[in-house]
Amino acid sequence: MNWPRHPDVTNYRQSMQILITLGPDAPSRMVEGLYYVSQLSDDASCQQIVELAIDAGIDLGVYQSAPEDIAIRVWIENPSILLQAYAEKHRIKSMKFVSYYPRQTTIPDFTYPNDQILSKLEATLNYTYAYTRTGCGMRVLPLTKHNGFWLMIRHGAFMRRSGTVQNDGSVGQVVYRPEYYDSVIYNADTGELAVNASTKNERINYCKCLGFCLFGDGSFFDIQQRKSKYSLSPLIDLNRLSLVSCDIEEIESISLCELLIRHRSWQQDVEVRRADDVFAAIDEDSRNLFDDSSQIKLVRAKFRIKFLDQQIRHVTIRPPGTVIFDRASDYCVISSWLKKRGFLGAFCETTSSLTSPGTPGSPENGLISRL
């Protein structure tokens, strides 16, 4: 089809026929563009694309454009904008982050990775993923963060084979490599690298590759996790007061909805407390869950968080370094609450963050005493 210069004379029927009968010979660039346009044609994504396009100085034309029209125009002008919007969209999904810290005590000065470093990271990851038979095609999409960075990393998985039935009734098969997105967050204040990936080997691979590309040392991050980021001791020390959230603007209330407790016995005794409010359930039973705290170990805690927009989401903490979010974009807000209530280890504190609850001079000391 010859594309006309003026849209009024476009043969839309012919173009429609081409699009609905795409075959294996379809240009990969066009297929990729159509995929991202399809995925980002909702109102929320369109609003973000418009903001990014305006910042990039792209003329979006008439105001009557539909989301699909805007997405196509931006893809033609600057495809990286749609890639960034797509990466942002993944941040609303549930994610499990595992934290790693530098081996050394002194954290080197950090500069935001430029295009050259990101290209080097893509090449390094491509090499390691090709070695593990999961393909190349790595794409590192950076998201801005004021004291570090957030990377969305696209990669392939192991090949999949699926049986098919053709239109003429014959059987066949398709072989394909699924697309996955991982997340990596680096905190320049503490040196923490929080990694969301499917397997432990992938997480270790990210630690080595990022250590090599950012700091010139593949062993920069401690993959043995000798430092514990999270602690559940505030649930024992402060009880219900550890759930105070009135000093976090975005959060209305927090309750403990699940607690996994391991008792120190030869019988591998594990107790799971699950309720809308675990502390309230314990009070109704006239029990003190932590009578002898030396004989128990808190293994996992799940919190129910009600935000000011009335949305309810959950976060699960499993020491030493694992946290699971219903929506990954809550990372910063919930991390702020965890810092203020003492769920983070002392080495995670920064000069700009608050000290642990109840310590002399800390804002929480006065807050909790007033409550």
Side-chain angles (χ1 to χ4, degrees):
M1 173 181 173
N2 294 321
W3 197 260
R5 292 183 176 274
H6 198 281
D8 291 344
V9 295
T10 299
N11 189 336
Y12 291 104
R13 183 175 298 277
Q14 184 181 0
S15 60
M16 177 188 70
Q17 187 65 28
I18 292 173
L19 292 174
I20 65 176
T21 57
L22 289 177
D25 59 340
S28 59
R29 179 70 171 170
M30 183 181 72
V31 173
E32 183 182 25
L34 292 173
Y35 173 78
Y36 286 115
V37 168
S38 173
Q39 293 293 311
L40 297 170
S41 293
D42 58 280
D43 291 347
S45 299
C46 182
Q47 182 62 45
Q48 184 180 21
I49 291 173
V50 168
E51 294 174 0
L52 292 172
I54 292 175
D55 292 341
I58 296 177
D59 181 13
L60 295 178
V62 297
Y63 291 103
Q64 289 79 9
S65 300
E68 295 86 352
D69 301 329
I70 294 175
I72 290 174
R73 178 181 288 269
V74 173
W75 174 262
I76 293 173
E77 295 288 340
N78 189 345
S80 64
I81 290 179
L82 259 65
L83 294 177
Q84 181 177 349
Y86 187 69
E88 288 279 2
K89 191 173 183 178
H90 273 263
R91 290 208 293 178
I92 68 174
K93 296 185 176 181
S94 175
M95 291 188 188
K96 178 178 78 172
F97 288 95
V98 179
S99 294
Y100 301 87
Y101 286 86
R103 294 176 181 271
Q104 58 193 63
T105 56
T106 303
I107 302 173
D109 293 336
F110 170 79
T111 56
Y112 192 82
N114 55 29
D115 291 341
Q116 183 179 0
I117 292 178
L118 293 177
S119 297
K120 179 182 178 181
L121 178 59
E122 285 184 354
T124 304
L125 289 171
N126 268 327
Y127 175 80
T128 58
Y129 268 78
Y131 178 76
T132 56
R133 302 299 189 271
T134 50
C136 298
M138 304 292 294
R139 179 68 67 86
V140 178
L141 307 172
L143 306 176
T144 56
K145 195 169 183 287
H146 69 281
N147 61 337
F149 60 77
W150 187 319
L151 301 179
M152 297 295 294
I153 302 175
R154 186 196 71 184
H155 66 89
F158 286 102
M159 298 295 293
R160 303 285 174 83
R161 181 178 289 107
S162 180
T164 62
V165 177
Q166 307 299 329
N167 291 334
D168 60 2
S170 61
V171 297
Q173 63 178 346
V174 293
V175 180
Y176 66 98
R177 190 184 300 281
E179 176 189 66
Y180 278 88
Y181 276 83
D182 294 332
S183 293
V184 174
I185 303 174
Y186 178 73
N187 188 321
D189 294 333
T190 63
E192 173 198 0
L193 186 72
V195 183
N196 163 252
S198 302
T199 66
K200 180 179 179 180
N201 285 339
E202 284 183 309
R203 294 194 293 269
I204 292 175
N205 184 45
Y206 284 132
C207 288
K208 292 180 178 179
C209 290
L210 283 161
F212 171 71
C213 294
L214 294 178
F215 305 105
D217 182 4
S219 61
F220 179 82
F221 293 104
D222 179 15
I223 60 177
Q224 301 299 325
Q225 289 185 294
R226 282 180 279 261
K227 292 181 179 179
S228 178
K229 177 181 180 180
Y230 297 107
S231 169
L232 297 178
S233 59
L235 295 174
I236 298 177
D237 301 335
L238 300 175
N239 206 273
R240 191 183 294 274
L241 289 177
S242 64
L243 306 180
V244 169
S245 62
C246 57
D247 53 342
I248 307 295
E249 295 180 0
E250 297 86 349
I251 298 176
E252 180 175 315
S253 63
I254 299 177
S255 60
L256 177 66
C257 61
E258 184 178 306
L259 191 62
L260 193 150
I261 307 163
R262 178 175 293 130
H263 296 268
R264 301 185 188 278
S265 72
W266 293 103
Q267 303 302 320
Q268 300 297 319
D269 184 6
V270 176
E271 176 184 1
V272 178
R273 298 288 307 200
R274 187 180 293 114
D276 291 338
D277 187 332
V278 171
F279 284 125
I282 293 172
D283 292 341
E284 290 180 6
D285 292 343
S286 300
R287 295 181 57 194
N288 186 346
L289 193 62
F290 312 122
D291 278 336
D292 191 357
S293 59
S294 64
Q295 296 303 311
I296 64 172
K297 177 182 179 182
L298 302 186
V299 178
R300 185 181 69 224
K302 185 175 183 179
F303 302 93
R304 178 180 182 271
I305 302 177
K306 184 177 182 181
F307 290 83
L308 287 182
D309 60 3
Q310 303 304 305
Q311 293 291 320
I312 294 175
R313 293 188 287 276
H314 299 83
V315 60
T316 301
I317 297 175
R318 187 170 68 232
T322 301
V323 60
I324 304 173
F325 295 96
D326 276 356
R327 194 172 77 175
S329 55
D330 296 331
Y331 185 93
C332 294
V333 172
I334 295 177
S335 294
S336 177
W337 169 69
L338 293 173
K339 284 182 181 180
K340 293 185 176 184
R341 296 293 89 84
F343 289 99
L344 297 188
F347 71 94
C348 297
E349 301 291 344
T350 65
T351 54
S352 61
S353 62
L354 300 176
T355 55
S356 300
T359 56
S362 72
E364 277 73 21
N365 196 34
L367 172 64
I368 293 177
S369 64
R370 291 198 302 274
L371 294 171

